Amino acid sequence: MRNATYFKTYIVFCIVYLIVLFLGHQNLDLFLKPVLIPLLGFGVYFHRPFPSKNVLLTALLFSWIGDVILLFADIGEIYFILGLVAFLISHITYCVLFNKQITGEIQINKVFFGIGSLLIAFYLIGMVLFLMPNLGDLKIPVTVYAAVISTMLLFAFNGYLIWTKPASLYVFLGAIVFVISDSILAFNKFHAQIEKSSFFIMLTYLVAQYLIVVGILKLNPKKVE
């Protein structure tokens, strides 16, 4: 199938790209990074139709826009802010996407959901308070972004409790790794430099996107006629 070919190509390109980053050739970002998410997007585009397909494609589109804009973040702070906005829209779209997968057919475990919600809230509050002294004029944008990505994780966790397995696990792990990626980026930018930060940020980001996409596709299997 054509979409499977795109996913395999995505994996190969990601491995090549990550090796390039690990070796320190970040100047090749401009040529390699913009190719990655479109490969994942084409894999979704050529997949059979399902109700939330366009929502998933929209989330990937804004992720790609954010990727491209952040390539120029070293030029000026405005590019970082615009990239933040693009990913903010992407995460909001992922929230909508996850909500559309919820059928309500399985009763949610309120105890697990309560514990998970508290852990996510602690992450949000802890991360914001930790970074706050170094955020400067970006206090509000970063706080809003942290709140949105935490909400995205909460939607994924909610889905994990009620969606079919193992598809729900793919999405939930993808959301967790996405949060880890953004946390590394925030720590590196606003607190202290991490050695080979670009490699770890992109490794977790690319894995997160792949897991979410595969999970959503598995949640929307071909209907038996």
Side-chain angles (χ1 to χ4, degrees), residues 102-113 157-165:
I102 297 174
T103 61
E105 294 175 356
I106 303 174
Q107 187 65 36
I108 192 170
N109 188 314
K110 294 182 179 179
V111 175
F112 283 155
F113 182 74
F157 176 62
N158 181 67
Y160 172 72
L161 296 177
I162 64 175
W163 297 336
T164 57
K165 304 294 188 295

Side-chain angles (χ1 to χ4, degrees), residues 3 7 46 79 81 85 100 104 109-110 135 181 196 199 204 209 213 216:
N3 68 305
F7 290 142
F46 288 110
Y79 291 102
I81 295 173
V85 171
K100 285 182 175 293
N109 188 314
K110 294 182 179 179
L135 292 179
S181 179
K196 296 192 182 298
F199 170 79
T204 48
Q209 293 281 25
V213 167
I216 292 298

